[in-house]
Amino acid sequence: MEALVQASQDALSLLFSGDKELWEIVGISFQVSLLALIIAIPPALLLAFALAYGQFVGRRFLIALFSTMLSVPTVVIGLTLYVLLSRQGPLGEWRLLFTQTAMMLGQITLAFPMLVSIGHSALQAADRRAWETARTLGASRLRALLTVTYEVRFGLLAAVLASFGRIISEVGASMMLGGNILHHTRNIPTAIALETSKGEFAQGIALGLVLLVMALALNVLLHHFQGKGYVGS
Amino acid sequence: MTKLQFQGISKYFQDRHLLQEISLPVWQGHCTLLTGANGAGKTTLLRILAGFERPDTFEVQTSLGLLNWRQYKKTLSSRVLYLHQQPYMFEGSVWANLDYALPRHLSKLERAERIEEALTWAVLEALANAKAKNLSGGEYQRVALARAWLRKPQILLLDEPTSNMDQEARLRTVHLLGQLRSEGMALVVASHDPDYFSSLVTDHLHLNQGQLLPVPLHAKRDNGNVTTLRQSL
């Protein structure tokens, strides 16, 4: 118990003293995950929209496929991309393994099905009259899409925040694809895993606190926006 | 356009032949009243004309020649405006909802002028800054008609425009529809309340078992019996 208290005190000290290494790890985490999310959102939203409003062969299969992909373990995604990106793999010539780009690819692969699946649910629950009214009032498909997106923005924001929470805290894919290299590919979850395996808990607790505060902030943000969406407000 | 002749419109729902080779002429400045029992296919027919529902067979004779469904959707459906039974209001004010109906190329000043005119036309001046989603049913309909007035379509399709309205709101709606008709718009109104539209209607068609049958004006079908229409509201 005493060790835990001491580790927690050290963790707070690391956080508030502005420990360079610790905040660099936090920075890499946010940089990689935010970029991965920004890259994944537009195609995922378009696909979610096509699944919600389109009528084409294989639509139901795709919906089931993306729902299934939500439960694929991150290490399996890490392993698949590792095989593809390793020197003997078909994408080995890209020399991306153990880079931030490889981590980003892993996180995009993780975020994409979540954005599609939750985004599709939000768009499907949207009032179909929104799309039809936009179209009948002369809006182009793109403008109608943006209009409906705005109408269901809280549902879509939930998809974005849930996806961000998933990718910034995943350890399997980042560890396998990034290699946990200090100053380059070490992010919050891989650093926590390493420090814990060494028996050094202070930095792990400090980074865990950052993740917890971030999760709390994201949820407060979501509830704040949802509160504004109240019909009577 | 002085006349569009829709013809051969068929629609199956599973085994049910909902619309059977329907022909429907639509004249500029005319008001066609569609009546029929619940589930007779009035809404489906309007949605096909609006381009929202794909028919099994469809042709339309226009000044451009005979068009099929795909050609109609591409070339003419932008000149058709469909109003849902309960019109959809976008997030934001009445002003913003009216603004949505205006062409994008208009300047800010032109937009403001036209919106002011529309507000006056639909007696909505006091509600310009009100949140559109908080309006009453009658006010919803007036905003929707004001959007149509701004959009100036060649054909206005209305699905039960006076349902769930009090007497005053119904009279206002019919009055506004009369103005739209006198401006040359072709109106196609599906309604269970034919009496309310007696002052507007130039053609009355009754949909029964997939067939569209003409009904002599000043007479209506009432439980299978033909009775005299009320001449005024």
Side-chain angles (χ1 to χ4, degrees), chain A residues 127 129-130 132-139 143-144 147 150-151 153 230-231 233, chain B residues 47 52 80-82 84 86-91 100-101 104 131 133-134 147 151:
Chain A
D127 195 328
R129 292 175 306 155
E132 291 176 348
T133 302
R135 291 291 284 156
T136 204
L137 289 173
R143 190 177 177 215
T147 303
Y150 184 72
E151 297 288 307
R153 60 196 178 281
Y230 173 60
V231 175
S233 64
Chain B
R47 290 176 60 79
F52 294 149
V80 178
L81 201 151
Y82 173 80
H84 295 89
Q86 171 78 1
Y88 187 83
M89 291 295 131
F90 298 117
E91 283 282 336
Y100 199 93
R104 307 297 289 162
K131 194 171 177 179
K133 284 190 190 284
N134 291 350
R147 288 194 299 210
R151 182 89 193 137

Side-chain angles (χ1 to χ4, degrees), chain A residues 7-57:
Chain A
S8 300
Q9 283 173 349
D10 292 346
L12 289 173
S13 163
L14 275 174
L15 276 173
F16 294 111
S17 66
D19 182 77
K20 200 180 162 196
E21 189 181 307
L22 184 131
W23 286 106
E24 186 186 52
I25 290 168
V26 173
I28 288 170
S29 259
F30 275 80
Q31 184 183 314
V32 169
S33 297
L34 279 173
L35 263 171
L37 197 64
I38 288 166
I39 293 167
I41 285 173
L45 185 60
L46 281 175
L47 184 56
F49 210 86
L51 292 174
Y53 285 85
Q55 289 176 338
F56 54 89
V57 179

